[in-house]
């Protein structure tokens, strides 16, 4: 009887953890066309890189940072994001130039969130990178203004991605990779902070990871036990040669 109850408890806990992970929100940057067919960069804080109800968006209004970098202007130029409301959806938007190769980098502090009985201070970083050459990857790959960064590098048919925390590689961190036609890959960074992926199908790929600091403190009067930094990057693969 005890074993049966234990099995049920484990199953319930597993389902709870799955639901928690499935409902997790992340910061995403997507370059799209608006209703007037102008190219813009939309910033979503949702479970997936698409528009949602913006339930938690207030944490980032007026406090998030956005930078645009291009080949002709590789130094990060801060731009102001504005709130967009459409039907029941909310998100942030920045104006975007007509550059063919670019990196749009964002950062926002969410604040303290309670996971069960653990209070965590959450920081979010997001990038979208469009590069059609090795030189562009080299020029735009590193977002030095971000404490947490994903740095891509093309190696033949493979993409090498390095996870950096304050400029140093982070080993043994899980990277979640998603792509076209149900492509899924979960892999840990090696001792040099790197993962490798060979695109199965051409299209948009998302990469997500995090680092944690076991440092307690207080933010806006709320105590927390640790700090978690989350990052996403979007890339169109394979890169054009």
């Amino acid at each position: 009887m005890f074993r049966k109850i234990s099995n049920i408890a484990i199953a319930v806990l597993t389902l709870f953890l799955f639901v928690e992970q499935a409902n997790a929100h992340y910061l995403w940057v997507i370059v799209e066309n608006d209703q007037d067919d102008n190219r813009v960069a939309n910033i979503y804080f949702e479970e997936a890189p698409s528009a949602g109800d913006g339930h938690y968006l207030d944490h980032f209004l007026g406090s998030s940072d956005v930078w645009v970098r291009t080949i002709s202007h590789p130094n990060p130029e801060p731009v102001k994001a504005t709130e967009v409301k459409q039907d029941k959806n909310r998100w942030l938007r920045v104006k975007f130039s007509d550059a063919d190769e670019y990196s749009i980098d964002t950062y926002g502090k969410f604040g303290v969130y309670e996971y069960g009985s653990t209070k965590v201070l959450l920081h979010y970083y997001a990038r979208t990178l469009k590069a059609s050459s090795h030189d562009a990857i080299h020029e735009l790959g590193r977002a030095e203004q971000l404490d947490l960064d994903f740095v891509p590098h093309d190696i033949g048919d493979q993409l090498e991605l390095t996870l950096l925390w304050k400029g140093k590689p982070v080993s043994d961190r899980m990277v979640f990779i998603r792509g076209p036609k149900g492509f899924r890959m979960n892999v840990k960074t090696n001792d040099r902070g790197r993962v490798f992926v060979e695109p199965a199908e051409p299209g948009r790929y998302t990469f997500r990871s995090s680092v944690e600091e076991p440092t307690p403190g207080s933010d806006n009067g709320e105590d927390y036990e640790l700090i978690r930094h989350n990052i996403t990057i979007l890339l169109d693969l394979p890169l054009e040669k």
Side-chain angles (χ1 to χ4, degrees):
M1 180 66 177
F2 177 78
R3 180 177 297 178
K4 182 180 293 186
I5 294 175
S6 297
N7 289 339
I8 293 174
I10 291 172
V12 171
L13 178 61
T14 301
L15 178 61
F16 172 77
L17 292 175
F18 173 79
V19 171
E20 283 289 297
Q21 184 177 16
N23 291 335
H25 285 56
Y26 299 94
L27 204 59
W28 309 92
V29 185
I30 312 293
V31 174
E32 299 170 304
N33 290 339
D34 63 11
Q35 290 179 325
D36 298 322
D37 207 31
N38 297 315
R39 191 165 59 162
V40 294
N42 291 323
I43 301 168
Y44 305 119
F45 187 67
E46 301 292 342
E47 299 173 32
S50 58
D53 61 10
H55 180 73
Y56 295 107
L57 195 64
D58 290 342
H59 291 262
F60 302 100
L61 290 175
S63 62
S64 58
D65 297 313
V66 186
W67 301 268
V68 175
R69 295 182 294 123
T70 64
I71 295 297
S72 59
H73 296 89
N75 294 325
E77 296 184 358
V79 293
K80 184 178 180 180
T82 57
E83 182 182 4
V84 177
K85 296 181 180 179
Q86 190 175 95
D87 298 326
K88 296 182 179 180
N89 296 332
R90 298 169 64 216
W91 67 90
L92 299 177
R93 172 176 290 173
V94 299
K95 293 182 179 180
F96 187 58
S97 70
D98 292 329
D100 292 329
E101 296 177 305
Y102 52 80
S103 179
I104 301 174
D105 318 316
T106 71
Y107 161 76
K109 183 177 73 171
F110 180 91
V112 177
Y113 189 84
E114 189 168 355
Y115 293 90
S117 60
T118 303
K119 292 186 176 181
V120 183
L121 177 61
L122 297 172
H123 296 262
Y124 290 89
Y125 310 75
R127 299 184 60 195
T128 187
L129 176 64
K130 176 67 174 178
S132 58
S133 66
H134 174 83
D135 289 343
I137 282 281
H138 180 75
E139 187 70 35
L140 301 174
R142 173 77 169 99
E144 295 185 356
Q145 76 277 21
L146 299 182
D147 284 341
L148 185 60
D149 194 14
F150 263 137
V151 183
H153 181 69
D154 57 314
I155 305 176
D157 294 330
Q158 280 192 324
L159 179 78
E160 172 193 276
L161 206 65
T162 304
L163 183 64
L164 296 180
W165 169 245
K166 295 185 176 180
K168 296 182 178 180
V170 186
S171 63
D172 201 36
R173 296 302 301 174
M174 188 65 74
V175 178
F176 302 90
I177 307 169
R178 301 294 182 264
K181 296 186 178 180
F183 179 90
R184 298 172 61 90
M185 180 178 175
N186 302 335
V187 59
K188 284 188 176 182
T189 56
N190 64 17
D191 58 357
R192 302 180 70 180
R194 298 173 179 173
V195 297
F196 300 86
V197 59
E198 184 172 343
E201 296 285 341
R204 175 185 291 171
Y205 285 76
T206 67
F207 301 82
R208 176 172 58 83
S209 191
S210 65
V211 299
E212 292 185 351
E213 300 176 275
T215 307
S218 179
D219 182 73
N220 289 329
E222 289 190 82
D223 293 334
Y224 57 83
E225 298 167 57
L226 62 89
I227 306 171
R228 181 174 300 144
H229 302 263
N230 300 282
I231 186 169
T232 62
I233 187 171
L234 277 72
L235 295 165
D236 288 334
L237 300 176
L239 298 172
E240 298 177 13
K241 302 298 181 182

